[in-house]
């Protein structure tokens, strides 16, 4: 019975680690995309403002 509970605990730890890695990846991806969009918006404003 103890081995079974340890096996379940091991899978839970792996699940938490994988969820944390996925969450970090999502956070970094959203942050990079917002930065890229802001950079593109400033570039568009600079191009359109010269006319």
């Amino acid at each position: 019975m103890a081995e079974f509970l340890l096996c379940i605990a091991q899978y839970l730890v792996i699940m938490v680690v994988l969820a944390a890695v996925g969450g970090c990846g999502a956070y970094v991806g959203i942050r990079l995309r917002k930065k890229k969009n802001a950079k593109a918006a400033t570039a568009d404003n600079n191009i359109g403002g010269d006319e």
Side-chain angles (χ1 to χ4, degrees):
M1 183 68 174
E3 294 89 11
F4 178 72
L5 293 177
L6 287 175
C7 184
I8 296 294
Q10 180 182 2
Y11 279 115
L12 287 175
V13 168
I14 292 171
M15 184 181 67
V16 167
V17 168
L18 290 176
V21 169
C24 288
Y27 173 76
V28 169
I30 290 170
R31 187 169 172 180
L32 288 175
R33 187 61 189 183
K34 285 182 180 179
K35 186 184 282 188
K36 184 178 179 180
N37 288 346
K39 191 174 184 180
T42 6
D44 289 345
N45 288 340
N46 289 339
I47 293 172
D50 292 338
E51 296 180 322

